[in-house]
Amino acid sequence: MMRGHCRSRTCGTPRLKRTLPAQSRAVSTPRTLLQHLRRQAQPPGVLRSPRPRPLWLCSRPSPAPGGDRRGQRRGAAELPAQGSCGSEPASPGGRTSSPGLLRIVPRTPCPGGLEPGDTERRHSRFGSLPANRERLLAEKAAPRSPQPEAGRMRRLLPPLGPCSARDSETPSSSSRPSPQPGRDTSRLSSGAQPGTARPATLPGTERPPPSDTRSKRDEPSRLGRRLLARDPRQGGDRGQPLPPPSQARGDTAKPGTRNSPDTPPSPLTAAPSARSEPRAGAQPSAGRTCAGAASELRHRHLAGLRPRSPLRSDAKAGNLQLLSFQPRTLYQYRYSLDVQLHHTSTPSPWGAWLQAETLIHLHRLWRDQGGEELLQVQIRDLKAQHQPEEERSQESTGGSPVEIALSPEARAALQQPVFIFWNSGKVKAFYGNGAENILISNLKRGIISLFQLQPHAGTTVEEDASGSCQVTYTVSNHSITKTKDLLSCSKPKSGFTSINKIFGVEWKPSSRSQYVVKDSLLQSVLAEESHVLAPALRSRSGIKISSRQQLQLVSPAMPGPAEVSGHSLKDVLAGTEARPQPLGMASLPFRRVCTHCPSLRAFLKDFDGRRVKTDTSKAATTWQFQRFIQMLRSAKKRDVLQLLRTVPEETRPFLVEAAVATQSVASLAALSDFLDFSKEPKSLQEKFLYTAAFSPQPSGELLQLVLDKLDGKQLAPEIWETGIIAVGSLVGKLCQQKLCGLQVVERGVETILRGLRGAKEEPLVVIYLLALGNAMLPETIPTLLDHAEDGPTAVTAAATSALQRFPAPHISSKVKQVMRRIFHQKRKSYDKTCRLAAAEILLDNHPLSMDVINILLATSEMETEMATFLLLKVQNSLRDHQHVAKKIMKDIMGDPQINNYNFFSKVGISSSFSGPLTVTQDLTSTFGLDLLFLEGGFLRKSVSDFSLLSHGQRLRAAQVTFEAQGMESMMGENLSEGEEEPELMAGMSATFFDVQLRPVVFFQGYTDLMAKVLLSSGEPTSVVKGNLLLMDHHQVIPLQSGLQVTIKLLGGLGLDISADIDVSVWEQELKTSVSARGSLAMDFQAELDSPFLQATLRSQTEVETSIHFDTKLRFSSSPVLMCLQLREEQVPYREVFTVSRSAGSQSSTARKGRRGTVPGREFALHQTNSKVCNLLLTAEKE
């Protein structure tokens, strides 16, 4: 629909096109347009169109006698009248219009004519408007039925005065007929009656001077002018326009103009409408120009006024009236609290349930001049109930609740009043008894939190019992909805968690409150809150917490005490009997005293020298490890030191692991006195260092202890190497906790860098580079790049291995440039393992298309085994849905010059593949195996990788690497051109839970190999054996109700990894075996603390597993045959759910559980490996 704005002196054709039917828009000139519309007219005078469109256009005044008619012909066309403002001949000297035709001037709105849409609404029913004028006016004057709320704004808009024609001449007088009785003539202006001559100009309008250069944005829209015409704050009524801007400003209009009070009113505008009767004292309706409307609109905008419907309340506008409480009035609210805890898994015990009801008395104690009020809040007659002791299933409703008996001391403390300094919903301050019981004080905070609100919509930060949180308000009618973002709440730090989120807790909270306010008084509140928490590795062991608060005003209000006189808030509070103290709104953390937990002192009294279980592959040992951690956390230094000195020597490593995992001040002090690196056996020292490196959330004190033990002592080489690697791991984890600024962390970094600069021997340089890889500090990347590009083979391999551990954001263009030079051997020749590591860095960190293409092209010049391995790496990335370079590689593979038989027809036996082992709702475990062979068929390097992917986090759980070099010379094979002859060596390195361990060397040199073959005891070499604390989480959740829930997660892992290598010269066979046995024990619990009930929900899970990776290689034939076997033994598991409740002197415990066994399996690696294994194993059986 075309808007009727007075915008320009020229009536543009494009505005006209939008008001015509689609089939008429191709007509360009007015004459052809007229002919076309006449052909389309059926019956005569009615415009035919598939969908009626309004011709809401204005008559343009004819020029004065002798004026130019070309502008009229260009800007007007004769059309059949349809909803026109009138049909009359032009002024003398102008062109005469035929009866019933409309002269179109698109740029000027109809002066006081019908509303836009009237023609469209009545066109199909009445046909030609001039023939049915009487009927239309009669319907227009009839009262309208109430409209729905969505359409009331448009129906209630008042009529507008006519806009002045920008190009009109001096007004001329003309006779006007009397208005029809009963018709609302305020909608029509002069000259709008049918059958009358239309004047050349509108009465009361003048042509603006040529200097008027107002822009279009200064012109008000149709809706803006109509809103301005009926602003109730300016005295206008429902249908009454406001006075012109000149009268509103107090200006005196010139006589003879429409704005002048001396000008007689028009007959059509003199009679007010029956449904728009002005109020007493209101200004009479007067015509207004577009300039006046625009000026008033700007004036209203600058004044901050917003036109609105008089029927629209503040609630609909998003605001409510300010809240307040009346003096000498006692307000009684009925308060109820409902809290539930239950397991999300089935079958399980029902859980814990608490319900409390009380009466809240509130009255205003004092009010300052700014309107801020001091309110007294008091709890009366509180009653609490809990679920009966008998068990019930998840579907049943159970028996009737049991009332909890409260002690007289608790009742007296509950009835002590608290005070809030309150201003229209905002709690400015909270006052109470600072020495009160924490649980009771928190319960009162939960009640006060319900009075924290605001009467208008928006987002803000509020402080209540949950802490300082971001909240969002929405207002509708008398209702206020508050949504709290519990993840944004800031409160005093009272917990800790593991650095790796895979071993943490998933938390999904929600909070929503509904307020009802009427007559500036809070009527009711309904607040609901829920929390779902579960270990990240197993959501089925989760716990759900639900809290529901309800506050309802008990009507009618009762007479209350009088207000207290005082000049200030401090004086008023000092005059009260309770003498309250200022308190914080956030709940205070409460620490439960465990009465059934084992104590170290009691254990020492009963200790009679019995042996502690140390088989790390059994779940019973892992549970015992966790019990010792709990005992040591509450023990004193002398008790810990006595335990370490009393137990047998074979048990001490187990207790050292528990003391390091505890990380309490007492346990670290006891370890500092007990451990003497100059005297103690190496095994205990190495156990201490490795346990510190695997700590889930180490402290600065633990790093300080490690550095002190390494400083200034003549240590065995393996102990020093293990200590440096442990320092790197501790520095990295402390920096992940944003503790890089600690002085002890800076000391640790300097220890590693200083040792790297002073290291002369190649093995020691490798150790320092591995320590930098554990630390993963971005500022050490330049140091790693220098050693990667310029160092010998072992140093380059260690440096590139450390760079592979950095996340993608730290792999800058400079790093990629160095990796390109290493892969393409721009400066010198590199070992094939170093070149492949550089290629992996380029491919795994947002590679460029150029890098991928160059790597693929380089395979045509490589040896067969190396090219085969690299091409398989690229193909694996295409199958991996989460690989960052999948899209780029897929696009490159679309090029037939690269994706062809010439590139991917390598016939080597090297392989690289990965695939999922286990896929659950929360966890995906993958296994990858890379095998790089020499041209003669000997194994150069094998990498076995076990990774965990959970909730967007990736963890390298285990990576075992076997390397053998120098085999070519032993078997008489030739070396590649430019390649140095390596020393005969075989070794292994391992990474567990993102911690690189010290490499293990099986043999080095031919003499050592023969000695190991002849003197081998047949016993496997232990790589890692011990207990690790993987999960350590402690979280305090203050509910809005004031109750507290404490979440605890403790997860231990017993691990025993050993490796064995067997070389048979007579049978020309090589066998390697890696066995990993372990047990995982996880204890997840939620504790609810309240003044009436204490409940604990507990979920315990245990798993035992054993994985074997065997390799058999026969080099008696050519090519060398190799068989790989990965198998897993059966996995027993057990899960127990426990619910404990304690209310007063009554307590109960319910327990349910389940157990089972997952059968063992053997994993199929790839088809070629299966064929070779079938051949070798069949020959072995024969």
Side-chain angles (χ1 to χ4, degrees):
M1 182 186 301
M2 189 175 67
R3 298 186 179 182
H5 289 189
C6 297
R7 294 187 181 271
S8 173
R9 297 183 59 179
T10 307
C11 297
T13 304
R15 302 283 296 201
L16 179 61
K17 288 183 179 180
R18 287 188 287 174
T19 66
L20 298 177
Q23 64 269 26
S24 302
R25 296 180 184 175
V27 183
S28 58
T29 64
R31 185 174 297 278
T32 54
L33 174 64
L34 175 62
Q35 294 174 356
H36 179 75
L37 293 179
R38 281 179 175 174
R39 285 195 301 268
Q40 296 293 328
Q42 184 181 1
V46 180
L47 197 67
R48 186 179 65 176
S49 173
R51 182 170 62 90
R53 291 173 176 256
L55 290 175
W56 180 236
L57 307 172
C58 292
S59 297
R60 184 175 181 178
S62 301
D68 186 11
R69 299 183 182 181
R70 289 178 298 176
Q72 177 186 353
R73 286 194 291 270
R74 286 195 302 266
E78 296 180 358
L79 295 177
Q82 174 188 344
S84 62
C85 303
S87 163
E88 66 281 345
S91 61
R95 185 173 178 176
T96 306
S97 300
S98 302
L101 295 182
L102 171 67
R103 301 173 58 257
I104 303 174
V105 181
R107 292 298 184 184
T108 311
C110 286
L114 301 177
E115 289 185 1
D118 286 347
T119 304
E120 185 176 13
R121 287 194 297 270
R122 293 164 175 79
H123 158 256
S124 59
R125 296 182 352 214
F126 296 121
S128 179
L129 183 61
N132 300 278
R133 188 73 178 188
E134 302 295 335
R135 183 174 178 181
L136 177 60
L137 294 176
E139 180 183 351
K140 200 66 175 166
R144 300 184 181 181
S145 59
Q147 300 295 334
E149 188 64 28
R152 294 181 74 176
M153 175 62 74
R154 189 175 184 278
R155 298 302 184 204
L156 293 176
L157 291 176
L160 292 175
C163 287
S164 61
R166 304 281 295 271
D167 53 355
S168 60
E169 301 294 339
T170 306
S172 60
S173 59
S174 61
S175 60
R176 302 184 180 119
S178 302
Q180 298 179 9
R183 175 73 173 98
D184 181 9
T185 58
S186 63
R187 290 185 164 287
L188 300 174
S189 63
S190 60
Q193 296 296 330
T196 60
R198 189 169 184 84
T201 56
L202 298 176
T205 60
E206 295 180 355
R207 181 185 181 118
S211 60
D212 187 4
T213 57
R214 293 175 298 171
S215 62
K216 292 184 179 181
R217 62 187 178 186
D218 293 333
E219 300 286 346
S221 64
R222 177 179 300 277
L223 180 60
R225 295 199 315 275
R226 302 178 72 168
L227 289 171
L228 290 173
R230 46 179 305 281
D231 192 342
R233 289 172 288 186
Q234 299 296 327
D237 204 345
R238 179 173 171 178
Q240 180 66 27
L242 287 174
S246 60
Q247 296 182 17
R249 294 191 303 265
D251 299 338
T252 304
K254 297 180 180 181
T257 63
R258 171 164 289 194
N259 294 339
S260 174
D262 300 334
T263 304
S266 170
L268 292 178
T269 58
S273 171
R275 59 186 178 92
S276 60
E277 200 64 34
R279 295 181 306 188
Q283 295 287 346
S285 174
R288 297 161 54 218
T289 64
C290 290
S295 175
E296 186 166 343
L297 181 62
R298 291 194 300 270
H299 175 72
R300 297 282 179 86
H301 174 71
L302 294 175
L305 300 178
R306 180 166 54 92
R308 54 177 179 161
S309 170
L311 297 182
R312 183 174 180 179
S313 65
D314 287 342
K316 292 184 180 180
N319 300 316
L320 292 177
Q321 296 179 355
L322 299 179
L323 296 103
S324 64
F325 292 97
Q326 297 301 321
R328 298 180 177 272
T329 304
L330 179 63
Y331 298 92
Q332 296 188 39
Y333 288 92
R334 186 167 301 279
Y335 173 77
S336 63
L337 171 64
D338 194 326
V339 181
Q340 296 183 16
L341 279 77
H342 62 84
H343 292 281
T344 58
S345 178
T346 55
S348 62
W350 169 251
W353 176 79
L354 172 66
Q355 187 179 34
E357 292 185 357
T358 185
L359 201 63
I360 305 297
H361 284 190
L362 182 147
H363 69 275
R364 194 171 86 185
L365 200 63
W366 177 74
R367 180 173 180 173
D368 64 1
Q369 296 180 356
E372 297 182 338
E373 302 171 345
L374 180 64
L375 307 178
Q376 176 177 312
V377 182
Q378 189 175 16
I379 298 176
R380 293 295 186 92
D381 301 330
L382 188 141
K383 296 181 179 180
Q385 300 173 336
H386 76 102
Q387 179 63 33
E389 298 178 4
E390 64 266 13
E391 299 180 16
R392 62 180 184 179
S393 63
Q394 295 277 21
E395 294 79 12
S396 64
T397 59
S400 58
V402 177
E403 185 171 352
I404 301 175
L406 301 178
S407 63
E409 294 80 7
R411 290 188 177 275
L414 287 169
Q415 292 186 1
Q416 287 187 2
V418 292
F419 304 88
I420 57 174
F421 195 46
W422 194 75
N423 184 13
S424 186
K426 292 297 182 181
V427 179
K428 302 293 185 178
F430 172 60
Y431 302 91
N433 184 5
E436 197 172 37
N437 180 276
I438 292 180
L439 295 177
I440 294 179
S441 180
N442 288 344
L443 181 68
K444 295 178 181 179
R445 286 182 171 91
I447 297 174
I448 296 302
S449 297
L450 297 179
F451 293 92
Q452 183 79 281
L453 72 155
Q454 70 180 27
H456 57 273
T459 301
T460 184
V461 176
E462 288 183 352
E463 186 178 12
D464 57 9
S466 302
S468 183
C469 312
Q470 177 179 308
V471 295
T472 301
Y473 285 92
T474 57
V475 179
S476 175
N477 293 330
H478 300 287
S479 176
I480 303 174
T481 302
K482 178 170 73 172
T483 304
K484 185 189 305 182
D485 184 6
L486 292 173
L487 294 177
S488 67
C489 295
S490 60
K491 47 187 177 293
K493 186 177 180 181
S494 58
F496 49 84
T497 186
S498 301
I499 296 175
N500 198 304
K501 302 303 179 184
I502 293 181
F503 299 132
V505 173
E506 288 291 315
W507 178 31
K508 297 179 181 179
S510 66
S511 176
R512 183 183 176 91
S513 303
Q514 194 79 21
Y515 294 83
V516 176
V517 178
K518 291 183 180 180
D519 299 330
S520 302
L521 181 62
L522 181 62
Q523 300 290 328
S524 65
V525 185
L526 178 61
E528 294 181 338
E529 181 180 2
S530 68
H531 303 261
V532 179
L533 300 104
L537 287 179
R538 186 170 177 80
S539 61
R540 293 185 59 185
S541 301
I543 294 174
K544 183 176 182 180
I545 306 160
S546 302
S547 176
R548 188 175 188 270
Q549 294 175 273
Q550 191 168 6
L551 191 70
Q552 183 68 45
L553 179 64
V554 179
S555 58
M558 300 172 57
E563 290 186 327
V564 178
S565 60
H567 297 286
S568 65
L569 176 64
K570 183 178 180 180
D571 297 339
V572 175
L573 291 173
T576 59
E577 182 181 355
R579 296 294 179 91
Q581 302 172 0
L583 305 175
M585 279 294 296
S587 294
L588 302 176
F590 172 79
R591 184 174 181 179
R592 181 190 296 187
V593 178
C594 183
T595 57
H596 304 289
C597 297
S599 65
L600 182 59
R601 179 160 296 185
F603 175 81
L604 291 174
K605 290 181 179 179
D606 299 336
F607 182 71
D608 53 358
R610 62 180 182 274
R611 300 182 63 179
V612 179
K613 299 177 182 178
T614 57
D615 188 357
T616 56
S617 63
K618 299 299 181 181
T621 305
T622 311
W623 285 121
Q624 184 175 250
F625 176 67
Q626 295 188 21
R627 283 194 293 270
F628 269 101
I629 292 176
Q630 294 175 348
M631 287 191 297
L632 293 176
R633 279 183 172 170
S634 58
K636 296 182 179 181
K637 174 185 174 180
R638 63 173 182 270
D639 296 333
V640 179
L641 196 58
Q642 180 183 354
L643 176 66
L644 293 173
R645 292 172 177 173
T646 304
V647 297
E649 185 174 351
E650 62 272 12
T651 309
R652 287 178 181 176
F654 176 84
L655 295 178
V656 168
E657 293 171 343
V660 174
T662 301
Q663 289 196 68
S664 64
V665 177
S667 62
L668 293 180
L671 285 172
S672 178
D673 294 346
F674 176 73
L675 294 175
D676 187 356
F677 275 37
S678 60
K679 297 180 181 180
E680 293 293 338
K682 298 178 183 179
S683 60
L684 193 60
Q685 300 169 7
E686 194 171 19
K687 182 72 65 176
F688 163 73
L689 295 173
Y690 272 141
T691 307
F694 285 110
S695 176
Q697 37 95 27
S699 61
E701 291 78 7
L702 180 59
L703 177 58
Q704 182 71 44
L705 177 59
V706 173
L707 291 173
D708 291 343
K709 294 300 178 182
L710 297 177
D711 189 18
K713 297 180 177 64
Q714 295 295 330
L715 304 176
E718 57 270 23
I719 298 300
W720 174 260
E721 294 173 0
T722 304
I724 292 299
I725 288 178
V727 169
S729 177
L730 292 173
V731 167
K733 292 182 178 181
L734 287 171
C735 286
Q736 292 182 40
Q737 301 179 64
K738 299 181 180 180
L739 298 176
C740 271
L742 295 179
Q743 185 176 359
V744 66
V745 175
E746 297 177 356
R747 178 188 170 191
V749 176
E750 181 60 28
T751 300
I752 298 175
L753 295 178
R754 185 175 62 251
L756 179 61
R757 290 190 296 264
K760 304 300 180 181
E761 299 179 0
E762 184 177 307
L764 193 57
V765 175
V766 170
I767 292 298
Y768 284 112
L769 292 176
L770 295 179
L772 291 180
N774 281 339
M776 288 190 296
L777 300 179
E779 56 267 23
T780 62
I781 290 180
T783 302
L784 294 173
L785 291 178
D786 293 340
H787 286 81
E789 192 170 11
D790 302 329
T793 298
V795 173
T796 300
T800 52
S801 175
L803 288 170
Q804 282 182 292
R805 304 183 58 185
F806 281 86
H810 297 298
I811 305 300
S812 61
S813 59
K814 182 179 179 180
V815 177
K816 293 182 179 181
Q817 190 64 34
V818 175
M819 295 300 108
R820 293 187 190 105
R821 292 197 294 264
I822 293 176
F823 176 75
H824 296 289
Q825 304 184 101
K826 294 296 184 181
R827 296 185 176 180
K828 67 174 187 177
S829 298
Y830 294 92
D831 185 75
K832 54 176 64 69
T833 57
C834 301
R835 296 181 63 193
L836 290 174
E840 290 183 26
I841 293 177
L842 292 174
L843 294 175
D844 294 340
N845 295 277
H846 303 290
L848 301 176
S849 300
M850 174 195 67
D851 290 331
V852 179
I853 294 174
N854 289 338
I855 289 173
L856 292 176
L857 292 176
T859 57
S860 60
E861 302 177 358
M862 293 180 180
E863 298 175 352
T864 302
E865 294 298 335
M866 184 177 177
T868 301
F869 180 85
L870 193 54
L871 291 174
L872 288 174
K873 275 285 186 183
V874 174
Q875 292 176 350
N876 285 337
S877 65
L878 290 173
R879 290 190 294 266
D880 188 359
H881 297 288
Q882 298 176 350
H883 199 279
V884 294
K886 179 180 179 181
K887 185 178 184 302
I888 295 178
M889 294 183 181
K890 188 175 181 180
D891 294 340
I892 294 174
M893 288 301 170
D895 187 358
Q897 295 182 0
I898 295 178
N899 189 9
N900 53 48
Y901 183 81
N902 183 39
F903 276 94
F904 293 92
S905 61
K906 308 299 180 182
V907 292
I909 61 175
S910 298
S911 63
S912 174
F913 68 94
S914 62
L917 285 178
T918 305
V919 179
T920 64
Q921 179 182 355
D922 310 294
L923 177 68
T924 299
S925 61
T926 61
F927 171 73
L929 179 62
D930 295 340
L931 299 173
L932 176 63
F933 287 90
L934 300 175
E935 295 303 315
F938 285 97
L939 180 65
R940 174 66 177 86
K941 185 178 182 180
S942 71
V943 180
S944 305
D945 182 88
F946 296 86
S947 297
L948 304 178
L949 183 64
S950 176
H951 302 283
Q953 301 287 329
R954 190 178 188 90
L955 173 67
R956 181 171 293 172
Q959 185 184 75
V960 180
T961 302
F962 283 98
E963 285 194 77
Q965 63 182 18
M967 294 292 183
E968 305 96 323
S969 59
M970 188 179 68
M971 301 303 296
E973 295 187 5
N974 297 326
L975 298 174
S976 302
E977 183 179 355
E979 187 175 354
E980 299 178 359
E981 181 178 355
E983 183 185 9
L984 182 64
M985 186 271 294
M988 183 190 72
S989 64
T991 300
F992 294 105
F993 303 108
D994 283 339
V995 177
Q996 172 74 56
L997 305 184
R998 181 175 59 87
V1000 176
V1001 178
F1002 293 134
F1003 60 86
Q1004 189 167 6
Y1006 186 77
T1007 305
D1008 191 18
L1009 171 62
M1010 292 295 99
K1012 294 289 177 64
V1013 171
L1014 297 175
L1015 303 177
S1016 176
S1017 62
E1019 294 292 330
T1021 303
S1022 177
V1023 180
V1024 173
K1025 183 178 181 181
N1027 295 275
L1028 310 175
L1029 183 63
L1030 293 182
M1031 309 174 192
D1032 195 7
H1033 181 90
H1034 184 93
Q1035 180 182 2
V1036 177
I1037 301 178
L1039 304 181
Q1040 181 176 303
S1041 58
L1043 276 62
Q1044 176 180 290
V1045 176
T1046 303
I1047 304 297
K1048 297 179 181 179
L1049 174 63
L1050 206 62
L1053 175 68
L1055 196 62
D1056 185 2
I1057 299 178
S1058 59
D1060 186 23
I1061 182 171
D1062 184 14
V1063 181
S1064 176
V1065 179
W1066 307 112
E1067 298 180 1
Q1068 296 184 345
E1069 284 185 349
L1070 173 66
K1071 295 180 181 180
T1072 63
S1073 176
V1074 178
S1075 298
R1077 299 185 303 151
S1079 60
L1080 176 66
M1082 187 170 59
D1083 187 1
F1084 180 64
Q1085 58 182 347
E1087 299 176 350
L1088 172 67
D1089 294 305
S1090 71
F1092 334 109
L1093 174 71
Q1094 287 187 335
T1096 302
L1097 274 68
R1098 193 173 189 179
S1099 173
Q1100 296 172 297
T1101 306
E1102 64 179 40
V1103 178
E1104 294 179 1
T1105 183
S1106 180
I1107 298 177
H1108 303 276
F1109 182 64
D1110 301 326
T1111 303
K1112 184 175 182 180
L1113 188 143
R1114 178 177 294 177
F1115 48 87
S1116 58
S1117 60
S1118 181
V1120 175
L1121 301 179
M1122 188 181 70
C1123 170
L1124 306 174
Q1125 289 179 291
L1126 179 64
R1127 52 191 174 87
E1128 181 184 29
E1129 297 181 1
Q1130 64 179 8
V1131 180
Y1133 68 91
R1134 187 168 67 100
E1135 195 169 16
V1136 179
F1137 301 97
T1138 307
V1139 176
S1140 302
R1141 314 174 191 88
S1142 176
S1145 59
Q1146 301 178 354
S1147 60
S1148 62
T1149 301
R1151 185 178 290 107
K1152 284 187 178 181
R1154 57 190 172 196
R1155 64 175 63 205
T1157 302
V1158 178
R1161 53 180 174 167
E1162 184 171 352
F1163 300 95
L1165 301 181
H1166 55 89
Q1167 188 175 3
T1168 304
N1169 180 74
S1170 300
K1171 293 180 181 179
V1172 176
C1173 288
N1174 187 25
L1175 179 63
L1176 291 179
L1177 296 178
T1178 302
E1180 185 177 354
K1181 292 180 180 178
E1182 293 177 355

